[in-house]
Structure formats: structure tokens, C-alpha cells
Amino acid sequence: MTELLNKTYYFWRRNKSSFGFGALFRDVTDVKIDRPIFFLGNQGGGLTLISRMVRRHPLAVSVTGDHTYWSGADEMQRVMVARLPAELRLAGQILGTDPPHRKFTPPRSWSYASDDLVDEYHLTEEDATESARNQFQSLIREALYCHGQEGTVNRFVDKSQVFTLKIRYIAALLEGTHPHFVLITRNPYAACYRAAIGKAGDMERYSSFMSLRERVEVCAQHWANSMRYALHDGQNVEHFIHFRFEDILQEPEPQMQEMCSFLGLDYKHDLLPAPHHEVPFGSRFRDRWYPLRPDVNEKYFDEVSDRFLDIIDERCGALAETFGYERP
């Protein structure tokens, strides 16, 4: 019964934001957007944990709440899917706005950056329109109005993974607000294999008609294309930084101090997971908090065979070295 109530409250908070009930009769055009924060990377790459750390900061605001609800839904790509500009959605089958593909049916999590689809999802400033700019900014202002502290410089935080392919586009939509982009990487030799065996929802579905070898290949494409575009596009925006998930797990305090410095947030030790923290009611993935697990990749390194490592290495090896990763 408790779990049912937990899920019900989670979906109520999420859907309340989806339909904008909190600002239904309020003109939010005067709400200031200041240095919004976007965590980038791949599904299963540690974004939930790291976003939660930053969202514990008193100035942090997401699409579903403030720092007191630091573990609620925090992906515009899904929460605001019916209201986002179509180019920013990861909509699934309901709205039918994702590019079609004969095999890679939506919802997609580890296939939208495959070789077949990546160029249809990648966007730059050349794709930005005034309509999309107004629509996107309005949704962020709405979240800041509904969940922020009046008279305070609140900071919007989001971790929509598909935005990894849209850095320059988002920067153009938010010109003048100084958006900050934080790329989080996870070792591709673990991440790609993990996704391919079914930890990614689309790969689990595709297993009915694709072999594991084929799924590993698609996941390697997805990781490499996502990271390639993120690095390239990150060099063309004002504020961009990269952290490795593994480094944060190993040395959380210095890593988060550096991240807060980049974001312009005062560091607080209480941002880090601790045994006395209680994950807020109405949260999914309640295990993604304490304790930290520095050995998170080891089980996949132990399982993955050389033939799958060869596939990942061929596609991701050079980029992996750029990020300081080595083949296990």
C-alpha cells in the first residue's frame, strides 16, 4: 500500500507539472531565467545520482519541485513532452513526433544516436526559431515560478539525455541567460554492454528481433555519436564542462566542489549522499542515493566477452581514451 501511494504521489507531481496547473492563471514572462543547468549524457550514466546532489541545493528548481523534492522527475524531454517544442521531445509513440525508423521504434533511450538516427536528432543554432525560443523559455519560467523562492536567484536544473545532441540549439533558445552544460560520461565498455543486455528499455524490446551482438553495436554507435557531438558542440557554447561518473563515485567531495564552482553555486557538504538522508516520498529509483558504489562497473567488466569488447573498442576506443578510459 505504501509503495502504491508513493507511485501515485510521484505521478501526481509529474503530471501536475506536465499540464502546467501551477501557473495556469499567471503570466510568467517577468520570471528571470538565470544560468539554467543541463546535465548531459546517456541513460544509465549516473545522471540521476548527480542531478539529485545538485538539486539538494536550496537554489535548485526542477520541473517537478524545489530542493525539498530533490528526487522527483527531472527530465523535460518526458515530463513536458506534450508542451515542449517538438524538436526537444523524446515522446515515444503517443505523439508520433520522433523520427520514424523501421526497427528502432520509440520510446528510444540507446538508439536515437545510432548511425541511422543521430543526424535527425542533432540540432544547432541554425535550427532555432522564435516560436521554439518562446515556448522553451516559458516552460522554464513556469517551473521557476511554481517551485522557486520569490526574490531569490533560483537555478533551473534538468537532465534530459536527448539534449546531449542539442547543446547549441538550447544555447540559442536561451541566449542571454548563460546556460551551463555538464557532460557526465561513464566508461563505454561497461555502459554499452549494460544497455545492450536490457538495462535500456529500447534494447530490451529490440531483443525480440536483434541479437546481443547487434544490440552492442547499436549501443556503441549511440555512445560514440552522443559523445562526439557533445564534445564538438560543447566547444561552441559559453559554459561547458565534463566529469566522469566514476571519478565522482571515487572522490565525491572534490568533484562536487569543482562542479559547484563551475555552476556558480556555493558548495555544501550536505549535497553528498549520507546515511541519515531520507529520500523524499514520491520518488522512483530510491536506491540511487546512498551508499555510493565506486565498483559500479565491475560486474559488467566481469561478464562482457572479448568479442563484445572488440565491437565497443572499434567504435568507442578513441573517444574513450579522450575521456581517460581504457579497455578492461
Side-chain angles (χ1 to χ4, degrees):
M1 186 63 171
T2 301
E3 185 56 31
L4 176 60
L5 290 173
N6 181 76
K7 288 183 179 179
T8 301
Y9 185 67
Y10 168 84
F11 283 109
W12 178 77
R13 290 289 294 252
R14 172 175 169 153
N15 291 328
K16 174 184 171 184
S17 302
S18 300
F19 294 103
F21 293 143
L24 196 58
F25 303 108
R26 171 68 156 83
D27 181 1
V28 297
T29 54
D30 61 339
V31 176
K32 182 180 180 181
I33 302 174
D34 182 70
R35 294 164 295 160
I37 299 164
F38 296 95
F39 287 103
L40 312 169
N42 290 319
Q43 181 263 346
L47 294 180
T48 295
L49 175 66
I50 294 162
S51 169
R52 287 177 172 183
M53 291 188 203
V54 173
R55 289 171 60 202
R56 284 177 60 82
H57 196 284
L59 298 181
V61 168
S62 74
V63 288
T64 58
D66 63 6
H67 69 286
T68 64
Y69 188 53
W70 47 268
S71 55
D74 58 351
E75 297 178 15
M76 295 183 81
Q77 66 181 7
R78 298 198 188 279
V79 174
M80 295 289 195
V81 68
R83 306 173 64 204
L84 274 175
E87 298 82 4
L88 289 174
R89 299 172 183 168
L90 204 55
Q93 295 174 319
I94 297 176
L95 296 179
T97 53
D98 287 271
H101 191 277
R102 62 185 180 84
K103 291 196 305 182
F104 302 150
T105 55
R108 301 175 179 126
S109 56
W110 269 79
S111 53
Y112 61 78
S114 63
D115 289 350
D116 285 3
L117 287 168
V118 63
D119 289 335
E120 297 190 63
Y121 280 93
H122 179 240
L123 298 174
T124 70
E125 62 277 0
E126 295 180 0
D127 301 292
T129 64
E130 190 64 25
S131 173
R133 181 177 293 108
N134 293 338
Q135 193 175 355
F136 191 50
Q137 290 194 16
S138 179
L139 292 177
I140 295 176
R141 289 193 174 98
E142 182 181 299
L144 292 168
Y145 167 73
C146 291
H147 307 301
Q149 305 169 60
E150 190 173 356
T152 302
V153 181
N154 300 291
R155 304 290 299 282
F156 179 76
V157 180
D158 185 80
K159 69 167 182 64
S160 299
Q161 294 95 348
V162 76
F163 290 2
T164 305
L165 297 177
K166 306 174 190 294
I167 297 173
R168 289 159 60 185
Y169 179 72
I170 289 172
L173 297 187
L174 296 174
E175 186 177 5
T177 70
H178 310 289
H180 283 53
F181 299 94
V182 182
L183 175 65
I184 306 295
T185 59
R186 181 172 178 177
N187 189 311
Y189 298 101
C192 294
Y193 179 72
R194 176 188 180 277
I197 61 176
K199 292 294 186 179
D202 53 357
M203 292 301 133
E204 184 178 28
R205 294 199 321 275
Y206 302 163
S207 66
S208 64
F209 59 86
M210 293 175 65
S211 68
L212 181 55
R213 185 199 65 77
E214 291 173 313
R215 299 193 315 270
V216 169
E217 170 61 33
V218 172
C219 289
Q221 293 175 14
H222 179 88
W223 189 92
N225 288 333
S226 295
M227 297 304 108
R228 174 171 54 86
Y229 272 126
L231 282 180
H232 178 269
D233 293 352
Q235 296 173 358
N236 290 277
V237 296
E238 187 179 10
H239 302 287
F240 175 86
I241 199 170
H242 161 248
F243 289 88
R244 301 196 317 174
F245 181 43
E246 295 85 357
D247 293 339
I248 294 173
L249 294 176
Q250 288 284 350
E251 297 183 304
E253 186 148 45
Q255 292 287 310
M256 292 307 296
Q257 286 174 337
E258 181 181 353
M259 186 179 297
C260 285
S261 176
F262 168 77
L263 296 174
L265 294 170
D266 56 314
Y267 172 75
K268 301 176 184 297
H269 183 74
D270 197 51
L271 301 179
L272 304 182
H276 66 276
H277 291 158
E278 184 174 343
V279 178
F281 184 73
S283 302
R284 297 182 68 202
F285 311 117
R286 299 176 69 85
D287 59 323
R288 297 183 186 178
W289 189 241
Y290 183 87
L292 297 180
R293 295 182 294 122
D295 61 347
V296 67
N297 290 334
E298 294 306 315
K299 63 177 292 186
Y300 303 109
F301 291 157
D302 291 341
E303 292 177 16
V304 63
S305 67
D306 283 341
R307 71 186 183 113
F308 295 142
L309 288 175
D310 288 343
I311 294 171
I312 298 167
D313 194 34
E314 181 177 356
R315 193 58 195 254
C316 306
L319 267 173
E321 288 182 9
T322 299
F323 291 119
Y325 294 120
E326 296 179 353
R327 175 172 173 161

